[in-house]
Amino acid sequence: MSDTAPVPLSLTLGEPTGVTLDPDLWGIFLEDINWSLDGGLNAELLRNGDFEFTHADRPGWGPLTAWQHTGEVEIRTEDPVHPHNGTYVRLTGPVTLTNEGFDAIRVEAGARYRFSAFTWRVQGVGEAALAIVDAAGEPLAQATLATPEGGWHEASLDLVAERGGLGRLRVTVPRGLTLELDALSLRPCGSDGEPLTFRQDLVDTLRALEPSFVRFPGGCVAHGLGLGNLYHWKQTVGPREERVPSFNTWGYHQSRQIGYLEYFELCELLGATPMPIVAAGVSCQNLRGRAACIPMEDMPAYVQDILDLVEFANGGPDTRWGARRAELGHPEPFGLRWLGLGNEDEITRDFEVRYAMVAEALASQHPEVTVIGTAGPQPFGPDFERGWEFAREQRVAVVDEHAYRTPRWFHQNLDRYDDYDREGPAVYFGEYAARTNSVRSALAEAAFMITMERNGDIVRLASYAPLLARLGTTQWVPDLIYFDADDVLPSASYHVQRMFSVERGEAVVDVALEGETHVPVPPRPAGNVRLAAPGARVRVDDASIDGAPVAPVEVGESEVELGAIGADGVVELTATRVEGSEGMIVRLGGTGTDDFLQVDLGSWQNKTTVVHSFADGISNDIDGPYAHPGMSTDVPMRVRIALDGPRIRVWVDDELRHDLVEDRRPEQRVVAGCTVRTAEDGTREHVLRLVNATDRPRRATFALPEGGAALRGVATVLAGADPDAGQPFEASPVEPREVAIDLAAGEPWEIPAWSFTVAVLRAG
Ligand code: AHR
């Protein structure tokens, strides 16, 4: 048989297993990361239109970030439009003030753009000129801005583009006129002539996913860096100038133009149910290693804020917050049913006490809402264990698990949910991705999603994360959908998500597979010991490998080779930081980019130790992070690492910090799952899903249910690309295509190499 000849595979479609799927199973995760909102979903074309950027957003940023000017521009804070929007500008003509938008403002010929701002005529006569100008300063669209006398005035006017192109918004104030300006906005108008809230092509891309729910606002943004950065929903509703902008934990600015009302409206647009995630009374623990906690005396008010959020979503117009929603233009309730409490929090006593207060209040006052608990950032480890234990104690309905792992991890863990306790809480697999954006990763996710369906009695909800990333402004990869100002670039993972979401079954059917389904993971190959110290310079002496001394070296950013080590071996060294603020990395075995171990001595701002394993050039943290005082300049650190086949032990200053056995189980690469549903015409349909994440096609034969009657229908197939094609910041190298399927018992069907197939089949 040649290397590309199909491998036989037999599938037996059996009877329903009794597992039914939650109709909410597949949803989306929307966090303001990677400029997903401002510069993304937010249709606003101006950046920093309210002059509220500060150095807290990012060092070097301030009120005039994204603006250029000629002439006299004064930054002012007296008598602002609103105390929440405290900074504005005074322009004393002649002056021009130009906003560059989010890397230029795209205008289309003939299109209408709504400009609005607060203006105050301070003195003089005349009108300001407004124009969207091209690179040569020539107008693409223009209008005049008249400001009556007497305090802040809310201006609103439309500019219609005479020409299309890339532009900037320019305000020109003539000599003799002094004007103050704040809260400038420029939005494209929709077909109804009204300014758009959301960028249309991104909304269309999300709508095509047919998500059941939208998680928001995070992720880390939900609990923020410190109490001042907690996402308080009330700060995000109402007129724009009354909203409270904030620094974004991902290193930029949140204008809050897309606040809670817009989020609920987005859910409505997408036909999805909302799933707010609120802080459990504590901030993110990654702030100098400790979460900030809302003082107990302030907790009743915080609990009330969360109850008010539910009332804002669900309350009738006769309730205080339901009336507020109606006043803001949405009398109909949003039907909130899910609410997440906490995100990846360290499970401390402080967390538990606060969590319980909020959960109790919600249970007694809003039984219509199911609260989702949290189990740390990793799919294992201390917070995961304690998070689950606490969830069981609290009788939490659903627990949010997260896993950003290698494709190998997903293929090795397809049995993860088979043995979960069916009596305890259910699972929301709330953030996951197989790194990074390749076809291989997308297929690993598809394989895992099949097993989530198979375990639909325990896995009730799932969402890939993160959802959106603007090119050039990304803090996290991989992401589901990349975009720039003009284009939307869905990844291969996007197609996988869509192939699950648009064709859902109701009840799981047993599928038995026979054939070559697993790929072995060979023992880790021998290789070199390699050292690096990004962010520091470290002297290494008293070093040995397997007892043989090694000459002293100095290590910096670039990797330094210390010597060869086998699958079993011992490295010992003394590392002394000479300068810098970070620690050191030791890499062991394997080849340059593949299949090696990495021990971080002072990762995460020199605060932890971690062991990683690299597969397919991608890293998984497999033990830790465990808190550590880190490396200090001029303080020697004695390190001993012993490899014993898959067992790895790491001692730091004679303390055993890591002792683990690396998972080298085979990967299941050929996976099948099946559900059934009743179509609108009453016919029973099978939704069959097949992953072949190997380089050989499978020649599949089927034993069919229902008396062996042939199954016919249409299959959507994602195939045809190199498994390693598809990188972050690119569109998927492969698109799904449809083929007709006719399955008679015993008739073969060829499943392509590196493919994912979803077939919707009917008997007859
Ligand atoms: O999805 C990106 C980040 O990953 C989320 O904000 C956080 O919850 C997780 O660590």
Side-chain angles (χ1 to χ4, degrees), residues 29 31 33 215 218-221 223 249-250 286 343-344 377 402 404 431 465-467 476:
F29 164 98
E31 173 171 33
I33 183 173
R215 173 185 178 139
C220 294
V221 165
H223 57 179
T249 181
W250 297 106
N286 289 331
N343 177 71
E344 296 191 351
H402 295 180
Y404 297 99
E431 294 186 26
L467 181 68
W476 185 286

